[in-house]
């Protein structure tokens, strides 16, 4: 057996310790001080950070009701404290260079940690004074003559300096250095370029289109460090309020043992199939994506077990690593716990996190289903064996269907029960629900205590014994409880993500502390109670510290990215870039989407997903919407943001710098570049999906009301159709369906998949989608429309920025307002003049005010309605499914004649 292990591991270039160091270097800091005092200090600060985040999430508001005089700190203080702790830890745990010492903290890093944290703490401590002065543009003055050393800087500051500006300048520089250490140089360089652009405004490197007069040094620093627009703006606010608690929740869940439990579940369910380890890797990575927001940690955690098993059944080193990479990076798009960028969408788009989950669910689910099918096709092509007896697929699908029905029935039964209890006994309903949850927890532990705790398997054992589902499931049922708590508060109670994560974290804290001693008592091992209780405290401490250390990179990334967001809002680049992109794309939306995708991939060579999303969405998301409107395509803002998000997650895959690919290659012993290209090829489904839901937003359930039976039926139909289409797309890209595909069969499968995804494309070429009406009939068409209809108004006029003629498509949704009041209630002000309808600036606060903000309503040329469009009566788009399915049937007929092995 030892020889077998040696043979299996001989290609590995890294030991397990090296892999853990790789994860630590990228996610939590690679420095491990040998000094006990320094290690304790770092752990204490990280633990305090976790406690602080839990405190600001809810307890301070609850205790304020019972403790007179208790002060509640708001976002003007929580964000600076969040960054204070992040910067202090960043300089202590992230070495400056690869050659820097790992075993101790150099004196220079101590100085940087204290000064950097002090600059952020200054904003925390003087938040009230700053809100009354600096954030309103009034700075406290010093004369340089009063401080002789500053005379050397009169060229920069002038004869008057501002102490806040000195603190801000140092803080900005040290934050950029902290981001360089934690994330690499890319974000530091990009943020530095944006700061330079904000300050200078003009220069030989700055295109004339985005030139501006430049901003003073004091104004730039004031905006970036002392206001709530830059470093302490929305990105850092999301990191403070939402992201930390979700990362902490994942760290605690992993420390409790849920990661191994989910992997065992995946292997118990799928390991016996052909190519089973790869399929289990996909499902296991989807589950552990709930725990780890890091693609690299996901690869190393699940890959150390799955990759060797994949290699044993016939996958090459590169393909085994690529499967793990492709499944791990998609963990960030899988609800209910998505990557940090998903929480930023809540603020950038202005929708609830529940809506983000709704829009992201179908693309994420079908992406994972397609990846399972891809590895199945790889197994078929290589004729890979199964590990053990192959289970019955029909029986497996039947069990899964029954499980979903039972789980759904139980969940809706719980909703009905809680609502009934709150109606009958509102005063005691919450304590009763809490007791029921406690009873479920104790019951799950009682079931788990009857079995031995799960242990990590060795993938290099000579004989592989697959776990059995009925043996695995009972051992970790209590891990499902905190996830249900999170989902309950998000989807049923409709609480904010922060409060939902808070309750989930508190549930996890209780579980991680009590699961060991309670199971010891239930097993009749009372003498081990204190030992297990102490071990539970140890797990809790390690989980709290690990969660905080995993947040360091995210916190400094969102702080540094805030500089970019502030520059976009304070300079012309945000508005003028639309014209630049439109010029480069020749006004074609598809070409522009390609440019945005390539831009995201290039930035992804050096930026992590969160920072990549912030940069590209700040610059490009509204451009996608506006250019789509100019082409007559209504692109929802959430679709544009998801487009950017999907390309952003490819940052960890894209060669030559994809870190997840390098991590997988370190485990598999394969070539990292080849692993990255193979993973990118496997991820083509993730690349294609954003284009599809831009042109067919129903794929993200946009406009689908899930609160009605009709909406649920439509969602189910979309899910089934999209899944089928994505499987055909996967078969086409793999060149194998029932047999190796010929070129024309691959083209036919792509054509069928495209038709199932976007049937309107063909219908629009047969029948026009809209009936065109003169502008003067807009009010009449608005009155005649039924509630729920949507009219489209083509608006033309001079651009506010260039003065050149431009046009856009304005969607007008018809609601329940009485027909004769619809125009007045809409906020649109129209002035008919013969055959022309002139528009005045829409009423502020209406959605039309933002949509038409690019027009100059006060210029010489008027803004007018060119035409009005209302939906035309035509065939249902699904009629094109018929020829598509007939073409598919012909492909199946031709491939069945060459088929040599079962398709499943």
């Amino acid at each position: 057996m030892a020889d077998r292990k040696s043979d299996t591991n001989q290609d590995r270039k890294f030991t397990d310790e090296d892999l853990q160091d790789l994860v630590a270097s990228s996610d939590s800091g690679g420095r491990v001080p040998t000094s006990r005092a320094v290690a304790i200090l770092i752990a204490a600060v990280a633990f305090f950070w976790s406690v602080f985040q839990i405190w600001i999430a809810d307890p301070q508001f609850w205790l304020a009701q019972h403790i007179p005089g208790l002060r509640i700190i708001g976002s003007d203080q929580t964000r600076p404290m969040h960054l204070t702790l992040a910067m202090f830890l960043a300089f202590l745990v992230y070495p400056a260079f690869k050659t820097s010492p790992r075993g101790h903290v150099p004196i220079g890093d101590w100085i940087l940690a204290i000064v950097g944290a002090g600059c952020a703490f200054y904003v925390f401590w003087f938040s009230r004074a700053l809100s009354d002065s600096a954030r309103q543009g009034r700075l406290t003055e010093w004369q340089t003559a009063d401080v002789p050393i500053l005379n050397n800087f009169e060229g920069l500051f002038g004869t008057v300096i501002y102490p806040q500006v000195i603190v801000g300048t140092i803080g900005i520089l040290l934050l950029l250095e902290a981001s360089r250490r934690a994330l690499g140089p890319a974000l530091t360089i990009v943020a530095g370029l944006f700061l330079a652009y904000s300050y200078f405004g003009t220069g030989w490197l700055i295109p004339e289109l985005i030139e501006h007069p430049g901003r003073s040094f004091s104004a730039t620093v004031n905006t970036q460090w002392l206001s709530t627009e830059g470093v302490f703006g929305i990105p850092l606010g999301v990191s403070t309020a939402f992201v930390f608690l979700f990362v902490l929740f994942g760290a605690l869940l992993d420390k409790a043992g849920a990661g191994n439990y989910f992997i065992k579940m995946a292997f118990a369910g799928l390991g016996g199939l052909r190519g089973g380890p790869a399929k289990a890797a996909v499902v296991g990575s989807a589950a552990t994506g709930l725990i780890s927001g890091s693609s690299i940690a996901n690869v190393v955690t699940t890959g150390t077990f799955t990759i060797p098993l994949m290699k044993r059944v016939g996958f090459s080193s590169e393909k085994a690593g690529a499967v793990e990479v492709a499944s791990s990076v998609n963990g960030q798009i899988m609800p209910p716990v998505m990557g940090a960028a998903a929480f930023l969408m809540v603020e950038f788009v202005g929708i609830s996190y529940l809506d983000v989950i709704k829009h992201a669910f179908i693309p994420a689910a079908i992406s994972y289903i397609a990846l399972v099918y891809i590895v199945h096709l790889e197994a078929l092509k290589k004729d890979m064996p199964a590990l053990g007896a192959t289970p019955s697929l029909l029986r497996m699908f039947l069990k899964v269907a029954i499980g979903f029905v039972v789980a759904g029935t139980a969940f809706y039964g719980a909703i009905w029960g809680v609502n009934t209890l709150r109606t009958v006994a509102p005063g005691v309903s919450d304590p009763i629900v809490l007791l029921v949850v406690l009873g479920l927890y104790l019951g799950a532990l009682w079931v788990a205590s009857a079995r031995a705790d799960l242990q990590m398997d060795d993938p290099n054992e000579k004989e592989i014994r697959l776990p059995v589902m009925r043996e695995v499931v009972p051992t970790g049922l209590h891990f499902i409880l905190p996830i249900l708590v999170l989902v309950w508060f998000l989807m049923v109670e409709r609480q904010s993500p922060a409060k939902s994560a808070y309750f989930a974290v508190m549930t996890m804290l209780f579980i991680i502390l009590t699961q060991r001693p309670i199971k010891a008592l239930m097993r009749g091992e009372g003498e081990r109670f204190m030992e297990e209780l102490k071990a539970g405290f140890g797990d809790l401490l390690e989980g709290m510290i690990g969660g905080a250390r995993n947040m360091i990179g995210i916190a400094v990334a969102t702080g540094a990215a805030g500089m970019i967001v502030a520059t976009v809002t304070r300079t012309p680049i945000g508005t003028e870039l639309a014209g630049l992109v439109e010029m480069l794309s020749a006004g074609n939306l598809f070409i522009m989407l390609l440019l945005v995708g390539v831009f995201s991939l290039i930035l992804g060579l050096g930026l992590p997903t969160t920072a990549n999303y912030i940069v590209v969405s700040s610059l490009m998301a509204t451009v996608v919407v506006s250019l789509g409107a100019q082409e007559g395509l209504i692109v929802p803002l959430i679709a544009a943001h998801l487009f950017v998000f999907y390309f952003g997650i490819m940052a960890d895959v894209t060669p030559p710098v994809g870190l997840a690919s390098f991590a997988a290659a370190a485990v598999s012993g394969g070539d990292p570049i080849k692993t990255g290209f193979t993973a990118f090829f496997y991820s083509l489904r993730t690349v294609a999906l954003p284009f599809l839901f831009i042109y067919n937003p129903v794929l993200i359930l946009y406009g689908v009301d899930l609160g009605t039976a009709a909406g649920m039926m439509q969602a189910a139909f979309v899910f089934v159709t999209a899944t089928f289409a994505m499987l055909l797309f996967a078969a086409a890209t793999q060149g194998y369906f029932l047999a190796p595909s010929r070129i024309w069969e691959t083209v036919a499968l792509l054509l069928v998949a495209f038709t199932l995804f976007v049937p309107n494309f063909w219908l629009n070429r047969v029948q026009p989608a809209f009936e065109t009406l003169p502008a003067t009939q807009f009010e009449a068409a608005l009155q005649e429309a039924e509630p729920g209809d949507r009219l489209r108004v083509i608006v033309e006029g001079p651009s506010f920025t260039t003065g050149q003629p431009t046009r856009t498509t304005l969607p007008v949704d018809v609601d329940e307002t009485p027909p004769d009041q619809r125009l007045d209630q809409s906020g649109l002000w129209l002035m008919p003049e013969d055959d022309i309808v002139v528009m005045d600036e829409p009423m502020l606060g209406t959605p039309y005010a933002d949509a038409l903000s690019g027009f100059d309503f006060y210029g010489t040329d008027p803004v007018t309605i060119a035409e009005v469009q209302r939906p035309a009566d035509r065939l249902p788009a699904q009629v094109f499914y018929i020829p598509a399915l007939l073409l598919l049937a012909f492909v199946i007929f031709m491939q069945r004649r060459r088929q040599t092995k079962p398709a499943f």
Side-chain angles (χ1 to χ4, degrees), residues 170-296:
I170 297 172
I172 289 172
L173 293 175
L174 292 185
L175 176 58
L176 292 176
E177 167 60 12
S179 71
R180 183 196 67 80
R181 293 184 178 208
L183 307 165
L187 181 57
T188 301
I189 293 172
V190 172
L193 290 175
F194 272 81
L195 286 174
Y197 165 71
S198 176
Y199 175 69
F200 292 106
T202 59
W204 64 277
L205 287 176
I206 301 176
E208 183 179 352
L209 183 66
I210 58 174
E211 283 185 345
H212 66 98
R215 307 186 71 221
S216 70
F217 186 84
S218 297
T220 301
V221 174
N222 182 36
T223 298
Q224 299 291 1
W225 192 262
L226 304 175
S227 74
T228 55
E229 295 180 61
V231 171
F232 301 102
I234 289 177
L236 188 67
V238 172
S239 175
T240 306
F242 302 157
V243 179
F244 191 103
L245 288 175
F246 280 89
V247 171
L248 179 59
F249 173 70
L252 292 170
L253 199 57
D254 182 46
K255 193 62 187 174
N260 186 38
Y261 176 69
F262 290 146
I263 294 174
K264 292 266 193 176
M265 288 266 287
F267 268 88
L270 299 171
L273 298 175
R274 188 191 293 264
K279 295 172 183 174
V282 174
V283 176
S285 294
T288 53
L290 177 72
I291 298 173
S292 171
S294 165
S295 302
I296 301 166

Side-chain angles (χ1 to χ4, degrees), residues 684-827:
L684 283 177
R685 73 209 189 284
T686 306
V687 174
L689 275 171
F691 290 94
L692 294 170
F693 58 61
I694 286 287
Y695 286 96
N696 186 16
V698 76
L699 289 174
I700 58 173
L701 299 182
Y702 184 78
V704 177
D705 185 3
L706 297 181
T708 64
M712 290 295 290
M713 291 296 293
Q714 183 181 3
F717 178 78
V718 170
F719 177 75
V720 172
T721 305
T723 300
F724 188 51
M726 183 53 70
L727 294 180
L728 295 177
F729 178 82
T733 56
Q734 290 301 301
Y736 193 100
F737 186 31
L738 303 180
S741 298
R742 292 168 179 163
I743 294 178
W744 73 266
E745 292 172 335
T746 296
V747 173
L749 289 175
L750 288 174
L751 187 61
V752 174
F754 177 77
T755 303
L756 295 178
F757 272 125
V758 194
N760 284 337
F761 177 84
W762 304 111
L763 183 60
N764 291 341
R765 275 137 188 84
V766 177
Q767 292 179 310
F770 300 97
E771 176 187 355
T772 301
L773 303 174
T776 53
Q777 295 187 23
F778 171 58
E779 185 172 2
L782 191 61
Q783 293 178 354
E784 295 170 2
E786 296 293 330
D789 288 350
R790 166 178 280 184
L791 302 180
R792 294 156 57 100
V793 179
I794 311 302
V795 180
E796 294 180 342
S799 168
F800 183 79
T801 54
T802 65
Q804 298 299 314
T806 186
R807 62 186 285 153
T808 190
T809 302
L810 184 70
V812 178
D813 294 314
V814 181
D815 55 21
E816 299 289 345
T817 303
D820 59 339
Q821 300 178 22
R822 287 173 180 169
L823 182 59
D824 294 335
Q825 293 295 324
S826 69

Side-chain angles (χ1 to χ4, degrees), residues 468-501:
V468 180
M469 188 69 76
R470 63 176 177 273
E471 297 175 0
V472 174
V473 171
T475 62
L477 288 174
H478 54 291
F479 295 138
I480 309 297
L481 191 60
I483 299 173
L484 290 177
V485 169
L486 176 65
V487 172
W488 179 276
F489 279 98
L490 273 175
M491 298 186 176
V492 180
E493 300 289 342
R494 301 296 180 97
Q495 296 287 349
S496 68
K499 198 163 187 179
S500 301

